[in-house]
Amino acid sequence: MIQGSVSIVGAGPGDPELLTIKAMRRIQSADVILYDRLVSEEILSYGKPEALRIYVGKAPGHHSMPQEAIEQLIIKYASAGNHVVRLKGGDPYVFGRGGEEALAVAAAGIDYEVIPGITSAIGAAASAGIPLTHRGLAASFAIVTGSRCHDQASAAHWEGLVHSVDTLVIYMGVSTLTDIRQQLLKCGKNPATPAALIENGTTSRERTVTGTLGNMDKLAAALKISNPALIIIGESVAVRDQLLGLQKGVRSQIG
């Protein structure tokens, strides 16, 4: 039997033009594509018309299938001689469970590769005009998940982050914003620290809201911010307003 292969591919933060060339080539050559919720129809359309496309996405509180079942599907189709692309939003190794899938495929003796993608922290922040590091304001940043806020055994180490990292980027934190705010304030973070929420970053539906750590949960509720959304907390968030002001000035001169 001819053994197939697996490509665990990052589809980037949303904008199809932010796909890497290597990712595009693997999608185009795939026999089977197992794709996540945030992979757009345009990106899927780059695959061969005859390629089998299987949705295995996960939304907050609802998974189309268990992780173990996804891994079994990858192995099943690759074992049958197919080139399988496991297509994920962002980067496979940043909250993408790509490591688990790589381990499962490797344990099955199947050839595989991991193709990185632009993760949302990088793509959405840049699209919104927020530098994660900025001379004089931020020399470090950390990417954490907010989805475990209620689980104290596996929650982010907020105290360590508050005192050692300049910019915090929080994935999957919209539903626990109030808890995140309380934890950060409890650990000594200044409530006046600039904060941003970026909804549907890098896409045509992108919406960015800025405020402070002290009021970000109220802003999110008032403006009905929903997933997928990224939270950024740190002094470099204020650079966005500076950039917008400069752009406005340039446009007024041109006009």
Side-chain angles (χ1 to χ4, degrees), residues 43-66:
I43 290 175
L44 286 174
S45 73
Y46 299 151
K48 297 184 291 189
E50 67 272 21
L52 178 62
R53 293 162 173 80
I54 304 173
Y55 176 71
V56 293
K58 300 170 183 175
H62 176 71
H63 293 183
S64 61
M65 66 176 65

Side-chain angles (χ1 to χ4, degrees), residues 136-158:
L137 291 179
S140 61
F141 70 92
I143 302 172
V144 300
T145 174
S147 64
R148 296 178 176 178
C149 200
H150 295 300
D151 182 359
Q152 294 304 314
S154 58
H157 299 287
W158 297 115

Side-chain angles (χ1 to χ4, degrees), residues 91-226:
D91 180 90
Y93 277 5
V94 181
F95 300 124
R97 305 189 74 168
E100 296 171 52
E101 292 167 356
L103 285 168
V105 171
I110 297 170
D111 185 37
Y112 78 95
E113 63 180 346
V114 177
I115 299 175
I118 298 174
T119 188
S120 297
I122 305 297
S127 181
I130 299 172
L132 298 182
T133 63
H134 189 78
R135 190 174 183 87
L137 291 179
S140 61
F141 70 92
I143 302 172
V144 300
T145 174
S147 64
R148 296 178 176 178
C149 200
H150 295 300
D151 182 359
Q152 294 304 314
S154 58
H157 299 287
W158 297 115
E159 186 169 4
L161 291 168
V162 164
H163 297 291
S164 62
V165 176
D166 296 318
T167 307
L168 284 177
V169 184
I170 304 171
Y171 287 53
M172 299 167 282
V174 172
S175 63
T176 55
L177 256 176
T178 298
D179 294 306
I180 291 169
R181 175 182 62 80
Q182 290 173 346
Q183 289 288 340
L184 292 174
L185 294 177
K186 179 181 177 181
C187 293
K189 195 73 172 175
N190 188 336
T193 304
L197 298 117
I198 309 170
E199 183 183 72
N200 294 305
T202 78
T203 73
S204 60
R205 295 174 290 119
E206 177 175 305
R207 182 168 57 142
T208 302
V209 177
T210 57
T212 65
L213 171 60
N215 69 6
M216 66 178 188
D217 54 337
K218 293 185 177 68
L219 276 174
L223 297 172
K224 298 181 179 179
I225 299 293
S226 61

